[in-house]
Amino acid sequence: MSKTDHQVHPSDHGHGHDHEMNFWSKYIFPLDHKMIGLQYLWTGLFMALVGGFFAYVFRMQLAFPGESVPGFGHVSPASYNALITNHGTIMIFWVAMPMLVAAFGNILIPLMIGCDDMVFPRLNRLSYQIFFISTVLLFVGFFVPGGAFGGAWTSYPPLSARAEYNLTPWGASIWLLAVALEIVAFLLGGINFITTTMNSRAPGMKMMDIPIVVWMINIAVVLFMFSVGPLVAGAVMLLFDQTIGTSFFVPSGGGDPVLWQHLFWFFGHPEVYVILLPEMGIVAEIITVFSRKKLFGYKMIVYTTFMVGILSMIVWAHHQFIAGIDPRMASIFSFTTILISIPIAVIFFAYIATLYGGSIEFKVPMLWALGMIAEFLLGGVTGIYLGASALDVYFHDNTFVVAHFHYTLIPVVFFGGFAGITYWYPKMFGKMMSETLGKLHFWGTTIFFNGIFIPLFFLGLAGQHRRIYDYRNFPDLAGMQDLRIFATMCLIGLLISQIPFIINFVRSIKNGEDAGKNPWKANTLEWITASPPPHGNFAEMPTVYRGPYEYSVPGRKEDFWPQNQPS
Amino acid sequence: MNIFPVSASTFSGDIDGLFWLVTTLVGFWFILSELLLFYLIFRFRRKKGVKAQYIAGESRKEMAWIFVPLFFVILCDISIDLRTHSVWQKIKETLPQATEKVRVIGQQWTWVFVHPGPDGVLDTSDDIETVNELHVKVNTTTHYELQSRDVLHNFSVPVFRLKQDAIPGRAITGWFEATQTGEYDIQCAEMCGIGHGLMGARIFIDTQEQYETWMAQEIQKQQNYVASK
Ligand code: HEM
Ligand SMILES: [Cu+2]
Ligand SMILES: [Cu+2]
């Protein structure tokens, strides 16, 4: 790859003025990709607490209906709906996206491909600023007349389109605007990821030398870009329906509510892969390092990931099997949906095969990575039930679905997120985290997570529907309250289990052991520079001689072989 | 604990059967993968002096470890697809001849049911309209015509394993045939606003005699109402 100008002259966009930077330009309006990545990370972690708090409130309501929730108060039907809606919205758009895609993408891409920064640093900063504004806007939505939007994160019209139906004249529009702005922010950020990966790789780094996590983040971003267009168009139409009385989605004015569902799910389904892929990349990096193994079938994984991306765009209508569209289309979408199990199975088989013959060390990042594989498997296989159209007739909008998608999303977002944070923490802050606190965090989270969602599968099988704030209204469901209480208690356990992490994260920044450049003895380029890396990343720009996963190469004394080391 | 509620329609058994088919097939793969994962983790944990092996996973022989199991996964996928297709055809694509008809209307946040009166025809003056109470006859093929007056709702009868969105501006026809008498929940399964959590109704699956008794009562009620005006 050719060296681009800005690599040779890092000072072109301000890096040269390192010593002059004050607090303001370093932390609030940074141009440095690592700092922007950290801004996304902080925001994502903060929003995870908010989303988690919402889950606590609505789960308390389900366990003890009608009673006042400590720390919140009485949960009315309107606030229940607003809580679940914003819980979902926040977790997808304000936790998963900023943490997995934006934070890791920003922090890792330039470091792992061996360049000094993103190609467009100012655009990068703008991306975070727009994201920040969208975050503020989302909160504003809670304090307007009529309260926050409660029409579910899918926001189906006509409910979402008319204030007379949703009773949140301001909330609905502000919510929609916040989501739309958030999408704009990620589009801007994504442009940077792809351009940087394609143009700024260190000399010698061929396409098949790119670390898998960088591949997967890029594929995720491309997928996001291809799928999000229709949603943005839909959002504008919906905003018009809400505010100036058009009827794109309102039948009484000649519109079609099902059209929104197509636009939404054409984006919404690929979106779960946008979240999944970066995290699959993170897990791959970690299992190779901690088992000292080459990644099994690296090239095959890259090609297969492209296939996942393409397939994910032709499955959307499995969310609409019973939405009043022609029933004959169901079998086609059922088929494509179940087809997706094939590439995903390939990738997971390859991960499991990577462990074979390894020398596995159970450091905290590895625990999270292995935990992610073990837990995600259950999320993956339960997806087959829902892809089967005839079974979806029973499971649609049932808590079986809720359990299924949390078994995919929580391993992805939290297990994968914690794997990444604990693995790259030494690089980000130059210090090691505590292993003991880390293990406490891991086991607490794992046990309680299963305790929350296993009951939801069984409640779903018994016919319990979701988005219902008080099951006493349904005589056939009024029983089984014990299971609901059990799930809620486990949620409280899960939240408490995050305390060791918070302590660990904050304390280690100051008190952790010094990490040095390469504490895990890993091969990829981020580990050849100082921890934390200076502005411009590398004292001397690296040259790449080999792929990223040459661990335990026969005939070498060291069991790792950094990408930049000449033979 | 019985994991499914009562099975009370002619197709609920098909759906439960499909569930068990999927459970068997994916359960096998799930357990196998978990066992393998835990075996490998345990077997290859770090031991002093034992170096990891160098396996690229790029030769044909090595790839066979992925593609042979994959082949069997695909076979499982196909059998699920085929079974799903046939059950789906039965419950959603075909519309058997109806003996009875009923209209179901969702609105924020109640269900309105229009039963044909003694003449057995909808949209005549003897129609019986009820709120949150649906009466159907056991062992009778019934067509429902589903409508909505405002937003999306979803007509869900768990004991029938039946679910269908109601869409304003459209009338969607579907069917069921109850196989067992009793009184069960109807739920709204599509977020429809503040009262969504309240939007329940009850379905009464009656014998012919029960149904007639109920209808006579309803007619009486209507006449009393008219007389009182
Ligand atoms: C802290 C752990 C979590 C708990 C206990 C939890 C619990 C729940 C429950 C019980 C519901 C269903 C509410 C209902 O339908 O009545 C729900 C909805 C949802 N959750 Fe979570 N959740 C958690 C984390 C997450 C994460 C990490 C994500 C995604 C990254 C997520 C995404 C969603 C979405 C998209 C919905 C659907 C919201 C809607 O119906 O509009 N949740 N959550
Ligand atoms: Cu409803
Ligand atoms: Cu509803």
Side-chain angles (χ1 to χ4, degrees):
Chain A
M1 273 297 116
S2 66
K3 266 190 180 225
T4 56
D5 271 356
H6 81 271
Q7 275 183 301
V8 184
H9 307 290
S11 58
D12 271 5
H13 40 252
H15 291 154
H17 307 285
D18 224 20
H19 50 284
E20 290 169 19
M21 292 218 301
N22 56 24
F23 175 83
W24 207 245
S25 59
K26 183 158 182 206
Y27 294 106
I28 309 297
F29 299 115
L31 285 167
D32 182 12
H33 70 97
K34 300 181 289 293
M35 196 51 74
I36 294 170
L38 284 177
Q39 288 184 326
Y40 270 117
L41 186 64
W42 296 122
T43 319
L45 286 171
F46 171 73
M47 293 305 273
L49 288 176
V50 177
F53 176 71
F54 287 3
Y56 155 78
V57 177
F58 65 68
R59 280 252 43 129
M60 285 298 278
Q61 157 69 19
L62 291 178
F64 311 107
E67 284 171 40
S68 174
V69 176
F72 183 85
H74 175 72
V75 183
S76 67
S79 46
Y80 183 87
N81 285 353
L83 285 167
I84 60 160
T85 301
N86 286 281
H87 161 80
T89 310
I90 286 175
M91 288 297 190
I92 300 276
F93 291 113
W94 271 270
V95 180
M97 290 295 281
M99 217 162 85
L100 297 180
V101 187
F104 285 118
N106 265 307
I107 294 171
L108 298 180
I109 290 175
L111 282 169
M112 294 184 99
I113 64 172
C115 70
D116 64 332
D117 204 333
M118 291 290 174
V119 171
F120 310 115
R122 286 201 168 72
L123 194 66
N124 209 15
R125 180 171 70 187
L126 184 64
S127 142
Y128 180 77
Q129 288 167 338
I130 294 176
F131 174 68
F132 186 80
I133 294 170
S134 76
T135 313
V136 174
L137 202 57
L138 187 76
F139 282 108
V140 169
F142 281 85
F143 301 100
V144 292
F149 179 56
W153 84 288
T154 49
S155 186
Y156 283 179
L159 177 64
S160 58
R162 291 280 188 263
E164 60 185 289
Y165 297 145
N166 60 50
L167 308 177
T168 51
W170 287 84
S173 300
I174 291 181
W175 177 89
L176 191 60
L177 212 57
V179 172
L181 272 183
E182 193 265 9
I183 286 169
V184 171
F186 286 118
L187 279 172
L188 296 183
I191 291 170
N192 249 321
F193 291 3
I194 299 168
T195 331
T196 305
T197 311
M198 289 306 127
N199 295 310
S200 303
R201 294 198 302 281
M205 183 178 271
K206 297 189 287 294
M207 291 298 256
M208 287 297 151
D209 296 331
I210 300 178
I212 201 92
V213 65
V214 175
W215 263 122
M216 290 209 177
I217 292 176
N218 276 285
I219 298 173
V221 167
V222 172
L223 192 55
F224 180 74
M225 288 175 166
F226 274 117
S227 62
V228 85
L231 180 71
V232 174
V236 173
M237 293 183 332
L238 186 54
L239 208 60
F240 285 166
D241 276 10
Q242 289 171 346
T243 51
I244 60 172
T246 56
S247 293
F248 290 107
F249 303 121
V250 185
S252 56
D256 180 9
V258 179
L259 173 62
W260 167 266
Q261 298 180 18
H262 288 294
L263 299 176
F264 181 86
W265 288 115
F266 183 78
F267 160 79
H269 197 84
E271 171 67 9
V272 301
Y273 295 91
V274 172
I275 295 169
L276 171 65
L277 295 182
E279 191 281 335
M280 301 263 282
I282 290 171
V283 167
E285 300 294 334
I286 292 172
I287 57 176
T288 58
V289 171
F290 290 92
S291 59
R292 317 309 291 167
K293 278 287 308 288
K294 200 172 158 84
L295 184 62
F296 191 94
Y298 163 89
K299 281 187 197 159
M300 174 187 66
I301 294 179
V302 173
Y303 299 136
T304 315
T305 306
F306 276 105
M307 206 167 120
V308 172
I310 293 166
L311 277 178
S312 76
M313 300 190 72
I314 51 167
V315 303
W316 77 91
H318 66 209
H319 295 274
Q320 296 159 257
F321 284 145
I322 52 166
I325 54 187
D326 190 330
R328 281 167 303 181
M329 67 82 226
S331 297
I332 298 163
F333 281 97
S334 216
F335 181 72
T336 56
T337 301
I338 292 180
L339 215 61
I340 266 207
S341 66
I342 294 166
I344 296 274
V346 169
I347 299 179
F348 273 86
F349 286 162
Y351 284 11
I352 294 177
T354 300
L355 299 171
Y356 180 88
S359 170
I360 300 169
E361 192 177 18
F362 302 104
K363 287 275 170 59
V364 171
M366 184 63 162
L367 289 179
W368 286 114
L370 294 173
M372 139 73 198
I373 297 175
E375 302 285 355
F376 185 86
L377 276 172
L378 186 54
V381 298
T382 47
I384 304 275
Y385 291 82
L386 307 172
S389 54
L391 258 187
D392 186 61
V393 172
Y394 188 56
F395 288 137
H396 179 84
D397 261 318
N398 175 298
T399 53
F400 188 94
V401 175
V402 176
H404 151 71
F405 72 70
H406 285 83
Y407 260 103
T408 59
L409 288 171
I410 290 186
V412 166
V413 179
F414 287 140
F415 284 62
F418 290 135
I421 290 171
T422 50
Y423 177 64
W424 279 291
Y425 188 94
K427 184 52 60 185
M428 291 190 272
F429 300 105
K431 304 281 177 159
M432 304 302 287
M433 291 176 99
S434 147
E435 283 282 312
T436 319
L437 285 176
K439 285 185 174 153
L440 204 64
H441 177 214
F442 170 76
W443 288 109
T445 304
T446 305
I447 292 166
F448 289 120
F449 158 56
N450 288 294
I452 302 170
F453 291 103
I454 295 276
L456 260 65
F457 280 120
F458 288 98
L459 289 164
L461 283 166
Q464 172 174 307
H465 283 134
R466 64 197 278 215
R467 297 168 176 162
I468 287 181
Y469 75 103
D470 187 345
Y471 289 102
R472 290 175 306 182
N473 297 322
F474 298 87
D476 295 356
L477 295 177
M480 301 181 89
Q481 191 61 16
D482 290 351
L483 269 186
R484 293 186 196 110
I485 294 175
F486 179 78
T488 300
M489 291 302 133
C490 288
L491 167 60
I492 292 173
L494 181 78
L495 294 177
I496 291 173
S497 303
Q498 307 312 305
I499 293 171
F501 171 74
I502 297 172
I503 295 174
N504 201 356
F505 193 101
V506 176
R507 269 197 40 187
S508 305
I509 292 181
K510 266 198 127 154
N511 302 341
E513 233 179 277
D514 275 336
K517 279 187 176 174
N518 190 0
W520 313 120
K521 299 195 183 352
N523 286 348
T524 39
L525 294 178
E526 76 273 28
W527 301 105
I528 64 175
T529 183
S531 310
H535 266 232
N537 294 342
F538 300 94
E540 195 183 326
M541 299 315 276
T543 305
V544 168
Y545 296 95
R546 68 187 58 75
Y549 303 112
E550 298 301 318
Y551 292 103
S552 310
V553 179
R556 281 180 57 84
K557 199 165 112 294
E558 296 273 359
D559 67 355
F560 66 118
W561 201 359
Q563 283 189 278
N564 72 323
Q565 210 178 81
S567 342
Chain B
M1 187 179 70
N2 215 335
I3 67 170
F4 280 110
V6 176
S7 155
S9 78
T10 47
F11 49 68
S12 50
D14 295 303
I15 291 186
D16 297 358
L18 183 59
F19 173 84
W20 290 113
L21 174 78
V22 177
T23 302
T24 313
L25 294 178
V26 309
F28 170 79
W29 286 103
F30 175 67
I31 291 171
L32 188 76
S33 318
E34 294 283 358
L35 285 180
L36 185 67
L37 178 66
F38 279 95
Y39 168 74
L40 292 176
I41 293 172
F42 182 76
R43 166 77 178 72
F44 294 103
R45 68 193 184 282
R46 185 158 299 180
K47 296 183 205 94
K48 260 224 138 55
V50 182
K51 244 183 114 173
Q53 300 168 31
Y54 185 80
I55 304 168
E58 268 159 21
S59 70
R60 274 195 170 189
K61 207 170 136 237
E62 288 163 348
M63 299 278 245
W65 284 99
I66 307 258
F67 288 105
V68 171
L70 192 68
F71 174 75
F72 291 102
V73 169
I74 294 173
L75 286 188
C76 292
D77 281 357
I78 291 174
S79 47
I80 292 172
D81 270 325
L82 291 177
R83 181 66 186 275
T84 282
H85 179 69
S86 67
V87 177
W88 175 265
Q89 265 187 327
K90 173 170 173 185
I91 63 182
K92 288 285 183 192
E93 279 184 47
T94 50
L95 204 59
Q97 199 65 41
T99 356
E100 281 290 330
K101 277 190 182 157
V102 60
R103 179 170 299 140
V104 179
I105 304 167
Q107 67 181 55
Q108 286 180 325
W109 291 284
T110 48
W111 291 104
V112 175
F113 301 105
V114 186
H115 305 74
D119 65 356
V121 186
L122 279 173
D123 298 313
T124 52
S125 61
D126 65 348
D127 285 357
I128 297 167
E129 204 173 287
T130 54
V131 172
N132 290 343
E133 196 180 312
L134 169 63
H135 283 257
V136 300
K137 283 186 243 173
V138 71
N139 299 329
T140 307
T141 307
T142 308
H143 281 189
Y144 60 86
E145 187 203 282
L146 187 55
Q147 300 180 2
S148 163
R149 290 195 175 137
D150 36 48
V151 302
L152 303 180
H153 300 275
N154 182 304
F155 177 58
S156 166
V157 188
V159 291
F160 287 174
R161 317 284 185 269
L162 168 85
K163 203 172 282 157
Q164 179 62 52
D165 271 4
I167 297 173
R170 294 189 202 179
I172 296 169
T173 305
W175 71 283
F176 56 79
E177 182 181 334
T179 56
Q180 188 171 333
T181 57
E183 183 199 329
Y184 305 102
D185 274 345
I186 291 172
Q187 307 181 28
C188 172
E190 196 61 72
M191 170 57 93
C192 57
I194 289 175
H196 167 68
L198 293 163
M199 199 168 153
R202 297 288 276 175
I203 183 166
F204 295 81
I205 308 169
D206 297 339
T207 58
Q208 184 72 28
E209 301 80 68
Q210 285 170 325
Y211 191 85
E212 273 158 19
T213 318
W214 165 77
M215 194 182 284
Q217 282 170 358
E218 287 298 314
I219 292 168
Q220 192 58 49
K221 263 196 238 166
Q222 262 181 21
Q223 282 166 353
N224 291 347
Y225 178 75
V226 174
S228 73
K229 274 223 182 150

